[in-house]
Amino acid sequence: MRTSGRMSNAKCWLGLGMSLYFWGLVNLTTATLLGTHTPRGELEAHLADKPQSHQRTKRSWVWNQFFVLEEYTGTDPLYVGKLHSDMDRGDGSIKYILSGEGAGIVFTIDDTTGDIHAIQRLDREERAQYTLRAQALDRRTGRPMEPESEFIIKIQDINDNEPKFLDGPYVAAVPEMSPVGTSVIQVTATDADDPTYGNSARVVYSILQGQPYFSVDSKTGVIRTALMNMDREAKEYYEVIIQAKDMGGQLGGLAGTTTVNITLSDVNDNPPRFPQKHYQMSVLESAPISSTVGRVFAKDLDEGINAEMKYTIVDGDGAGAFDISTDPNFQVGIITVKKPLSFESKKSYTLKVEGANPHLEMRFLNLGPFQDTTTVHISVEDVDEPPVFEPAFYFVEVPEDVAIGTTIQIISAKDPDVTNNSIRFSIDRSSDPGRFFYVDITTGALMTARPLDREEFSWHNITVLAVEMNNPSQVGSVAVTIRVLDVNDNAPEFPRFYEAFVCENAKAGQLIQTVSAVDQDEPSNGQHFYYSLTPEAANNPNFTVRDNQDNTARILTRRSGFRQQEQSVFHLPILIADNGQPALSSTGTLTVQVCSCDDDGHVMSCSPEAYMLPVRLSRGALIAILACIFVLLVLVLLILSMRRHRKQPYIIDDEENIHENIVRYDDEGGGEEDTEAFDIAAMWNPREAQMGAAAKTRQDMLPEIESLSRYVPQTCAVSSTVHSYVLAKLYEADMDLWAPPFDSLQTYMFEGDGSVAGSLSSLQSATSDSEQSFDFLTDWGPRFRKLAELYGAAEGPAPLW
């Protein structure tokens, strides 16, 4: 035993070594020794020549293999075995030598006695055997007494290694509610001891922790469920400890443990349930489509795919106004707006919402139903909404020759709220930078404010705004697309300047030019131009015009015998007319030059200078003569200028001294002209201003547009064409850069000439607008009809102006 002490261990090892020695003698191979130094090869050859006999022979070496236990802990070298040769007489003449694996390091030999000892601690798990070679030598001569032989030392195992779980700790999962005996995982322990020797490596498994939920197979290490209906929602994680013990689990065996973390995976065994059977929500009527109203949640104790939820609206009067979708992250139902809401139309809705699991397991259907419903009440809250246009888009076609102030469309809008506030119309000036249109503030009548020209702008896209009078922040808008229709307001004309030439030797009826025309108009039936000579040139003896009926015309000669000396240039007026209603025409001029040509009709010269100069005087000589004349004229002018400067005195007269030519003005204006620009008395007495207006006018210019309040007849203020009149006058004032008003300040202290009403000053008004009635405005006459309609209680339709 290991604990018996050093002497008992030594005796045990020695006895074992001697027994092995004698066991080796019993297993010796029979052979006949022919000589002490006969090699093994010679011995085998000699035996082959001799006839075989059944006589037992003796071998000189007495070993085969040795066994030694591992983990020797004594202080003395461990005896392994003994080598002995028959040649050894015991007188020390034989020397034993040990070589091979571990020789001299692990194992030593007494060279006289042949005793082998282990000088290091042996571990079978590190090395199970050693192969060595032994030889017997003559100590005196060093010659081998026996051939070298090989033997093995095997390390015998003892139970010094406990089982180990090399892959631990383990992690495993098993579905909840699994049947008893469901395999979870297999654990494996390894023992480093020799499995072929005894029970040192025979492992038995057992469970130390984890009962009664799990069990383990003692031989295979397979862990199985041992309890039925294990619920993940009750307990999800389990820590199981498994033990592996060698020696077949007998007492005294070594043991090792590992931990197995087992998780119950989820199955769909819990149906969803709404914690609330009634939800109350609210939404503004101005909420945009797809905006969130609220959320509902059906609680499901499962997780992952088993907790996925699908929400649907199964009933209720709000199925068409609202929609519901599932948030994949939180599995909640999101109720959104499906179509525009109106507090004035419907103030509340009721929805019946269902939440259901889309993934079901058939074996758990008896735990269902796997769906639940809840009721959602949604209240629509009123908001002050902007005006709404009817229709939501306008398309208008108008001819380009429409008069200024013509109503082309009535824009309609209303306040969708219950209060039905008054609405005022205007045009978004960024959409109409040219100010071609105007909209009546109360009626929404869209009118032209400037002449339209299709050739300049064929389309106008403007935005009309509608503002609540009591809440200017509420603004509605509508797009108005205006197409300008073409009218025949542009006469055809030549696209470029036409210039042709005719040879002096041209014949009558010869083509000298083909002309065409362009027209900015685009009639529906296409353009067609007519060409002819103007009436005053209808009997032109030189040229004629032939219309080709394809919007072009040919210019032909009517005679021959053209001469540059007689006339070098002809200007032919051509009348061009279109097919519009009414037809428009213009006159284009064709310039025809008379040129000298060769016999093939190629132009040689179109200048008449060659016929006007003397025969011997060239053009270069004429240019030189003119240059000399020009130089002489310059010299004469220079001489005259120098003489004039000599006669001028050096002293400047006092009358011409520029430092004394200072003009002083007593007023801050621009001189006398500004003082006569207006009569200051007109600011204080409008009656005198009317009488003296004709006598006191500005002298530098004549205003073309007079004050509307003074010259417009009273009937215009109530007529249906007042807008047209005002817009026409406004356009004239905008186009006339020299028309008043000028940069002057005029203060009016009177509220109208001939007014039957009293003062409209707010100084005498009541402290609160709500306490004052404006019904009396209806009695003040036509001039105050507009104010009466705005502030009075009249319910009739609003007038145009």
Side-chain angles (χ1 to χ4, degrees):
M1 299 296 292
R2 291 181 182 271
T3 59
S4 60
R6 180 176 301 177
M7 289 299 296
S8 60
N9 286 337
K11 293 178 180 179
C12 178
W13 298 125
L14 180 59
L16 180 60
M18 293 302 295
S19 63
L20 292 177
Y21 169 76
F22 289 111
W23 178 84
L25 292 177
V26 174
N27 290 280
L28 287 176
T29 304
T30 57
T32 301
L33 181 62
L34 299 179
T36 305
H37 303 290
T38 304
R40 179 175 299 179
E42 296 178 2
L43 176 61
E44 293 176 353
H46 178 73
L47 292 177
D49 296 336
K50 291 281 187 178
Q52 295 183 0
S53 65
H54 299 282
Q55 184 180 358
R56 183 174 181 179
T57 59
K58 180 171 54 178
R59 182 176 173 167
S60 59
W61 291 102
V62 290
W63 75 87
N64 188 0
Q65 57 183 357
F66 297 96
F67 292 87
V68 59
L69 290 177
E70 63 174 336
E71 303 294 345
Y72 171 68
T73 58
T75 57
D76 297 331
L78 176 63
Y79 181 76
V80 177
K82 183 181 181 63
L83 299 180
H84 181 73
S85 174
D86 292 341
M87 303 294 295
D88 188 359
R89 305 290 185 215
D91 55 359
S93 60
I94 300 300
K95 181 180 181 180
Y96 296 98
I97 296 176
L98 188 67
S99 63
E101 297 175 348
I105 300 174
V106 180
F107 302 99
T108 61
I109 188 171
D110 189 328
D111 61 354
T112 302
T113 64
D115 293 332
I116 301 174
H117 292 82
I119 60 176
Q120 288 189 7
R121 183 177 180 180
L122 301 177
D123 188 357
R124 189 199 66 82
E125 286 70 39
E126 291 183 2
R127 187 156 188 170
Q129 66 180 20
Y130 295 85
T131 302
L132 298 169
R133 292 184 299 276
Q135 193 171 26
L137 302 177
D138 188 327
R139 187 180 295 274
R140 247 178 345 97
T141 62
R143 296 178 59 185
M145 302 297 293
E146 295 286 345
E148 187 180 52
S149 297
E150 185 178 86
F151 66 96
I152 296 174
I153 298 178
K154 290 187 176 181
I155 311 301
Q156 191 172 9
D157 181 55
I158 65 173
N159 189 20
D160 60 341
N161 292 278
E162 72 276 4
K164 294 182 179 180
F165 293 92
L166 301 181
D167 297 330
Y170 295 87
V171 177
V174 62
E176 62 174 332
M177 312 299 288
S178 295
V180 175
T182 302
S183 176
V184 179
I185 192 174
Q186 182 178 14
V187 296
T188 302
T190 59
D191 196 318
D193 295 324
D194 189 359
T196 63
Y197 180 76
N199 294 327
S200 299
R202 190 163 70 89
V203 177
V204 174
Y205 299 95
S206 63
I207 184 167
L208 301 182
Q209 177 181 316
Q211 294 176 335
Y213 306 103
F214 300 95
S215 63
V216 63
D217 190 296
S218 60
K219 295 182 179 179
T220 62
V222 175
I223 300 175
R224 303 180 186 274
T225 58
L227 190 66
M228 62 182 303
N229 297 331
M230 286 192 294
D231 191 1
R232 183 197 66 85
E233 288 72 31
K235 186 175 181 180
E236 184 176 2
Y237 301 101
Y238 296 85
E239 185 179 70
V240 179
I241 298 178
I242 301 297
Q243 182 189 68
K245 191 174 183 179
D246 58 12
M247 300 296 293
Q250 298 177 3
L251 185 65
L254 303 179
T257 61
T258 188
T259 301
V260 182
N261 296 311
I262 301 176
T263 303
L264 294 183
S265 59
D266 185 61
V267 296
N268 192 9
D269 59 339
N270 292 278
R273 292 292 179 262
F274 283 101
Q276 296 178 234
K277 289 302 180 181
H278 297 278
Y279 287 85
Q280 186 66 40
M281 302 178 184
S282 61
V283 61
L284 297 176
E285 63 172 336
S286 60
I289 295 177
S290 299
S291 60
T292 301
V293 178
R295 292 173 171 82
V296 296
F297 176 62
K299 187 176 181 181
D300 193 329
L301 298 178
D302 298 321
E303 64 179 8
I305 191 175
N306 299 314
E308 288 186 4
M309 203 70 57
K310 181 180 181 182
Y311 296 92
T312 54
I313 299 175
V314 295
D315 199 3
D317 58 358
F322 300 94
D323 199 359
I324 190 169
S325 60
T326 303
D327 185 343
N329 297 322
F330 302 99
Q331 300 301 322
V332 297
I334 303 175
I335 300 176
T336 56
V337 179
K338 186 177 182 180
K339 70 176 185 178
L341 305 176
S342 175
F343 173 81
E344 292 74 23
S345 300
K346 191 172 179 60
K347 297 179 176 58
S348 64
Y349 296 88
T350 301
L351 302 177
K352 187 176 182 180
V353 178
E354 178 187 81
N357 290 140
H359 306 286
L360 302 178
E361 294 191 28
M362 302 303 295
R363 60 192 180 110
F364 298 119
L365 290 181
N366 59 328
L367 302 177
F370 285 82
Q371 60 186 21
D372 196 15
T373 59
T374 186
T375 303
V376 181
H377 299 282
I378 302 176
S379 300
V380 180
E381 297 182 359
D382 186 27
V383 296
D384 191 4
E385 299 175 278
V388 178
F389 287 89
E390 294 180 358
F393 173 77
Y394 287 90
F395 175 75
V396 183
E397 291 183 337
V398 58
E400 62 178 325
D401 60 348
V402 65
I404 296 178
T406 301
T407 299
I408 61 176
Q409 182 67 45
I410 300 297
I411 307 299
S412 176
K414 67 177 182 179
D415 183 8
D417 298 319
V418 178
T419 55
N420 195 16
N421 294 321
S422 299
I423 296 175
R424 297 295 176 261
F425 298 93
S426 63
I427 295 179
D428 184 359
R429 284 306 171 191
S430 62
S431 65
D432 185 25
R435 297 180 179 268
F436 287 95
F437 302 96
Y438 169 81
V439 64
D440 186 83
I441 190 173
T442 57
T443 64
L446 183 62
M447 295 169 283
T448 57
R450 291 183 58 186
L452 302 179
D453 188 2
R454 188 203 63 82
E455 287 71 36
E456 182 180 4
F457 299 105
S458 59
W459 292 87
H460 296 271
N461 294 293
I462 65 174
T463 301
V464 177
L465 307 177
V467 184
E468 289 187 14
M469 190 170 181
N470 294 342
N471 188 4
S473 63
Q474 297 297 327
V475 181
S477 62
V478 67
V480 182
T481 299
I482 302 171
R483 178 186 179 187
V484 181
L485 301 178
D486 184 48
V487 297
N488 193 27
D489 59 345
N490 291 278
E493 58 186 8
F494 285 148
R496 58 184 178 85
F497 174 74
Y498 279 108
E499 185 177 11
F501 68 90
V502 60
C503 295
E504 290 180 320
N505 56 358
K507 299 179 181 180
Q510 183 175 339
L511 175 65
I512 62 172
Q513 183 68 42
T514 299
V515 296
S516 62
V518 293
D519 194 332
Q520 296 183 6
D521 296 321
E522 293 181 0
S524 57
N525 297 328
Q527 296 281 9
H528 186 74
F529 303 130
Y530 303 94
Y531 300 89
S532 62
L533 293 175
T534 58
E536 61 271 16
N539 298 323
N540 189 301
N542 301 311
F543 305 97
T544 184
V545 176
R546 296 287 178 83
D547 195 336
N548 295 329
Q549 299 299 320
D550 60 354
N551 291 339
T552 62
R554 294 173 296 167
I555 311 301
L556 306 175
T557 57
R558 299 187 67 175
R559 67 179 180 89
S560 59
F562 292 94
R563 295 291 181 268
Q564 287 185 346
Q565 297 88 341
E566 297 176 359
Q567 187 173 352
S568 60
V569 178
F570 293 90
H571 297 284
L572 186 64
I574 301 175
L575 182 65
I576 313 168
D578 59 19
N579 61 334
Q581 296 294 332
L584 299 180
S585 62
S586 66
T587 300
T589 301
L590 174 64
T591 301
V592 183
Q593 290 188 2
V594 180
C595 302
S596 59
C597 305
D598 56 15
D599 295 338
D600 297 331
H602 297 112
V603 177
M604 299 176 58
S605 174
C606 294
S607 175
E609 295 178 354
Y611 298 96
M612 298 176 61
L613 297 177
V615 177
R616 296 182 180 180
L617 188 60
S618 64
R619 182 180 298 179
L622 180 60
I623 293 175
I625 293 173
L626 292 177
C628 293
I629 296 174
F630 177 75
V631 172
L632 291 175
L633 289 175
V634 172
L635 291 176
V636 170
L637 292 176
L638 182 61
I639 293 172
L640 293 176
S641 177
M642 293 177 62
R643 288 183 179 180
R644 184 176 182 181
H645 281 288
R646 289 177 182 176
K647 294 180 181 181
Q648 187 174 1
Y650 293 97
I651 300 175
I652 302 176
D653 295 339
D654 294 339
E655 297 178 355
E656 297 181 358
N657 190 353
I658 60 175
H659 297 285
E660 296 182 359
N661 295 338
I662 299 176
V663 181
R664 295 182 175 84
Y665 295 92
D666 293 335
D667 55 1
E668 298 178 357
E672 297 179 357
E673 295 296 334
D674 282 353
T675 60
E676 296 179 358
F678 58 88
D679 188 2
I680 195 66
M683 297 183 179
W684 306 103
N685 194 342
R687 293 182 176 84
E688 294 182 3
Q690 293 182 7
M691 297 175 60
K696 199 70 172 178
T697 58
R698 186 163 179 159
Q699 296 179 1
D700 59 343
M701 62 190 70
L702 296 178
E704 296 181 2
I705 300 179
E706 303 297 338
S707 175
L708 289 175
S709 63
R710 186 178 307 170
Y711 295 101
V712 176
Q714 296 299 323
T715 57
C716 294
V718 296
S719 65
S720 61
T721 60
V722 63
H723 282 104
S724 302
Y725 177 79
V726 172
L727 293 174
K729 288 298 182 182
L730 179 62
Y731 174 72
E732 293 178 6
D734 290 340
M735 295 295 103
D736 191 355
L737 301 178
W738 301 103
F742 305 104
D743 294 337
S744 60
L745 177 64
Q746 298 185 11
T747 303
Y748 296 93
M749 299 177 60
F750 296 92
E751 295 171 354
D753 187 15
S755 174
V756 297
S759 175
L760 295 178
S761 174
S762 61
L763 296 177
Q764 303 297 330
S765 303
T767 58
S768 176
D769 294 340
S770 61
E771 299 175 359
Q772 185 174 356
S773 175
F774 296 96
D775 294 341
F776 58 86
L777 294 175
T778 57
D779 301 330
W780 284 9
R783 295 188 179 183
F784 296 93
R785 182 176 299 173
K786 192 66 177 179
L787 288 176
E789 293 173 353
L790 294 177
Y791 295 95
E795 298 180 355
L800 185 61
W801 180 257

